[in-house]
Amino acid sequence: RLTVQQQEINNLIQRKIAVDEENVRLKNEFSNLNQKFKDKSQELKDTEECAQKKEEQNRLVIKNLEEENKGLNTCCADLLNDLEKLRKQEAHWKTEKSGNDARIK
């Protein structure tokens, strides 16, 4: 009976050793996975910050382009007004020239 109990104790000790080894392996695996998680979390944070900066830069570029476009639209309107004035002036001069040519004849 003592031998059987001693064998059971030895078996339990072997199982404990195996469980302890498995526990160490799982702790190492958990530690590695936890480190990967922290690395990926930092990578995600960095990526989000980068995306936010790019988005802000894009907003500024769009704002600047809109302001430039507004200025160009104003310039185009001014040029169209000048063109219309010049066309009216040309028509007036043609009428005047036609009158002068008629008088000369």
Side-chain angles (χ1 to χ4, degrees):
R1 189 172 139 188
L2 182 60
T3 305
V4 171
Q5 286 181 345
Q6 187 63 42
Q7 187 61 40
E8 287 178 8
I9 289 172
N10 286 341
N11 289 341
L12 289 172
I13 289 172
Q14 291 300 318
R15 281 181 51 200
K16 182 189 180 310
I17 290 170
V19 167
D20 286 347
E21 288 173 355
E22 179 69 7
N23 195 20
V24 167
R25 186 188 70 75
L26 290 173
K27 281 183 181 179
N28 286 338
E29 186 177 339
F30 174 77
S31 178
N32 290 337
L33 290 173
N34 199 33
Q35 185 59 48
K36 285 181 182 179
F37 173 75
K38 287 179 183 176
D39 293 345
K40 290 295 180 184
S41 295
Q42 185 61 45
E43 186 179 328
L44 176 63
K45 183 180 174 186
D46 293 346
T47 301
E48 286 173 345
E49 286 176 3
C50 183
Q52 199 173 29
K53 287 177 183 176
K54 292 276 185 194
E55 198 173 305
E56 183 60 31
Q57 287 175 347
N58 288 342
R59 267 189 245 128
L60 288 173
V61 167
I62 288 169
K63 182 181 175 186
N64 290 338
L65 288 173
E66 286 173 346
E67 288 177 8
E68 186 177 343
N69 189 36
K70 191 176 177 182
L72 289 172
N73 285 338
T74 301
C75 184
C76 284
D78 292 345
L79 289 171
L80 286 172
N81 286 336
D82 290 348
L83 179 62
E84 185 61 31
K85 287 177 187 175
L86 289 172
R87 284 183 178 160
K88 286 179 182 177
Q89 190 176 21
E90 178 187 26
H92 176 72
W93 286 344
K94 281 183 180 179
T95 304
E96 212 174 86
K97 182 181 182 297
S98 178
N100 288 338
D101 287 348
R103 272 190 270 144
I104 290 172
K105 284 182 182 182

